[in-house]
Amino acid sequence: MDAEAQESFREFVANRSSTLLRTAVLLSGGDRHAGEDLLQNALIKAAGRWHRIDEPEAYVRQVLYRQQVSRWRLKWPRRELSVAEPPETPAAPDASGAAELRLVMRGALARLTARQRTVLVLRYFEDLPEAEVARILGCSVGTVRSATHRSLARLRALAPELAALGPAAAEQRPSRDYSPVEVRQ
């Protein structure tokens, strides 16, 4: 938008915005905030096409009407309910236990061998059956079972703090990232 068009748009907004706001407030059922939003959106659309608009007020009014009709057609009305006092929100559960468990688990997994990590991730994070893990790793089901058992034992030995964190933090756990802690202890 060039300087002349900007000045013309500013004059239009300064001269006609109060009248258009009254219309927008009436269209929105008397809600001044919704009316202001409606008018602002209409003016934004008008600003983008300002150089092509012959009758600016008629154009903005038409945009106001169409936007309000679009709001009526929404499946769920987006209205806020004004109340004297805000409702009390429940305190968020303390996620520090889950965060601590995540850090301990990452450190413990990093100290395992690549094969041990792979077996645990495939079995417990990906939740694959032993036969599928055996197929992926190219070994027998018995090898997967023994590798899983040894990997869990090594994980417990490397990070004994997991046993203390596991059951309490498992209740707060948002995802399945830490299943090896809970399995067959």
Side-chain angles (χ1 to χ4, degrees), residues 3-43:
E4 183 179 318
Q6 279 183 348
E7 185 58 34
S8 170
F9 181 73
R10 284 188 186 126
E11 286 177 17
F12 172 77
V13 170
N15 294 331
R16 301 304 305 157
S17 63
S18 60
T19 303
L20 291 169
L21 179 60
R22 279 193 295 271
T23 302
V25 169
L26 290 173
L27 285 172
S28 60
D31 184 352
R32 181 169 176 89
H33 297 292
E36 289 172 350
D37 290 344
L38 191 64
L39 178 59
Q40 182 175 351
N41 289 336
L43 290 174

Side-chain angles (χ1 to χ4, degrees), residues 10 21-22 35 37 44 47 49 59 64 67 72 83 86 106 110 113-114 153 174 180-182:
R10 284 188 186 126
L21 179 60
R22 279 193 295 271
D37 290 344
I44 288 170
R49 298 176 175 256
Y59 180 85
L64 285 172
Q67 283 185 334
W72 291 339
V83 293
R106 281 186 183 160
T113 66
V181 175
E182 302 167 26

